[in-house]
Amino acid sequence: MTPSVVVDTNVFVAAGFRPASASGRLIEAVRRGAVCLLWSEATRRETESLLRKIPPLSWESVADLFLEPNRRSSTAEADAFSMVADPEDRKFAALAASCGATLISLDHHLLGAQLSESCTVRTPSEFLD
């Protein structure tokens, strides 16, 4: 069974700058179909917006990873994740929790938060190991 993940925007940024890093290897695993990227309109929109703001990076280089069959509507309310200090990160936690997917992030706010039992947060290297 292909593992499902929700990928925080910072992982896409790290992969763009360092393709050989764990973040880059994770994005490549998504591209190969070894890992299933689950996404919502809100998480895709944030990823696109940030990548378009960083000139050396390209939204177009990852847009094809956001496959329509993997689009989800979060059934968990982002506000229920108030233990996550950054409100912008809550949508990623809510989506992962509602889908039972692993949340992949480099953000200490997410990595250090006590989230629901249905939401595991890992760094790209932890996930790949």
Side-chain angles (χ1 to χ4, degrees):
M1 184 170 158
T2 304
S4 295
V5 297
V6 173
V7 178
D8 193 1
T9 304
N10 56 46
V11 175
F12 285 98
V13 171
F17 281 109
R18 296 188 56 219
S21 68
S23 295
R25 292 192 319 272
L26 175 71
I27 298 304
E28 186 54 36
V30 170
R31 189 170 303 288
R32 287 191 326 268
V35 176
C36 176
L37 172 67
L38 300 180
W39 59 279
S40 68
E41 185 57 33
T43 62
R44 186 208 56 78
R45 191 171 41 248
E46 181 173 321
T47 302
E48 179 179 2
S49 175
L50 186 61
L51 292 178
R52 289 188 185 280
K53 290 178 185 174
I54 304 172
L57 302 181
S58 164
W59 162 248
E60 290 74 18
S61 70
V62 297
D64 63 324
L65 300 179
F66 290 78
L67 302 173
E68 191 60 35
N70 298 336
R71 181 182 185 156
R72 300 291 187 269
S73 295
S74 177
T75 57
E77 289 296 323
D79 291 340
F81 290 85
S82 60
M83 73 289 285
V84 176
D86 184 350
E88 294 300 314
D89 290 332
R90 294 176 187 164
K91 65 180 141 292
F92 292 95
L95 179 60
S98 71
C99 296
T102 302
L103 175 55
I104 310 296
S105 182
L106 296 167
D107 190 326
H108 68 278
H109 293 234
L110 287 169
L111 293 166
Q114 293 293 338
L115 304 178
S116 71
E117 291 180 17
S118 61
C119 184
T120 303
V121 185
R122 299 282 182 258
T123 64
S125 60
E126 289 171 339
F127 180 78
L128 292 171
D129 287 343

